[in-house]
Amino acid sequence: MVNFDRRRFLGLGLGAITATLAAAALWPVWRYLAPGEESGAREKTAVPRERVPVGGALFIQHQGHPSVLVQYAPGEFLAFSAICTHLGCIIQWHADKSEFLCPCHGGRFSAQGKVLGGPPPRPLDPITVTLDGDRVLLG
Ligand code: FES
C-alpha cells in the first residue's frame, strides 16, 4: 500500500514536471502563432497639438513603431511611419526644405509623404490622424 502511494506520488510529480516543461517549451510557439492584441482594436496615440510646430515634425513611437507627425499648415496634420520604404532606415525631417531625408541612400519624401527622389519605391506609409480638442490622435 505504501509502495503504491509512493509510486503514484512520483508519477503525479513527474507528470506535473513534464507538463510544466512542455508548456514552457510551447509558450513561445503559441505567442508567435496566436493572433496578438494588434488584431483587435488598436490603441491610439495622443499627442498635444502644441508639441508639433507649424511646418515642423515630431517623431514619436506609435503602436511600438517609429512614426512622425507633421503639421504642414496651421491646424493641418499628417502622420506616417518613419520607416523608409526602401530598406527600412529611419527618416529625418529637414525643416529648411520641409521634407524628409533618408540618411541611408538619400531617399527624399515630401511633408505629405510622397517620394521626391532617390530609391524609395513608394510613399511613406500613412497613419490615420484625427483631431480631438487640443490633441492629435494617431491610429
Ligand atoms: S533605406 Fe531609405 S533610401 Fe534606402
Side-chain angles (χ1 to χ4, degrees):
M1 192 72 161
V2 173
N3 277 346
F4 175 75
D5 287 341
R6 182 184 298 166
R7 204 175 278 166
R8 186 171 177 200
F9 175 78
L10 289 174
L12 287 174
L14 194 58
I17 290 170
T18 302
T20 302
L21 290 175
L26 294 176
W27 177 249
V29 176
W30 167 256
R31 291 289 301 162
Y32 178 75
L33 295 176
E37 302 83 37
E38 294 183 15
S39 65
R42 306 188 103 196
E43 203 161 299
K44 294 182 183 288
T45 302
V47 178
R49 281 185 190 218
E50 71 268 8
R51 289 193 59 203
V52 189
V54 176
L58 177 70
F59 286 81
I60 57 172
Q61 288 287 315
H62 170 61
Q63 296 175 348
H65 302 285
S67 307
V68 61
L69 179 60
V70 179
Q71 186 172 187
Y72 62 93
E76 302 290 333
F77 294 88
L78 291 171
F80 308 98
S81 165
I83 299 172
C84 180
T85 56
H86 179 223
L87 292 178
C89 291
I90 304 302
I91 57 171
Q92 299 170 342
W93 175 248
H94 285 243
D96 54 328
K97 295 179 182 173
S98 293
E99 64 182 45
F100 295 101
L101 178 68
C102 180
C104 291
H105 311 104
R108 295 172 44 234
F109 300 90
S110 71
Q112 287 76 29
K114 295 185 174 116
V115 177
L116 296 176
R122 58 185 169 80
L124 295 172
D125 294 326
I127 298 171
T128 303
V129 169
T130 51
L131 299 179
D132 178 34
D134 292 340
R135 304 183 313 161
V136 183
L137 302 178
L138 283 70

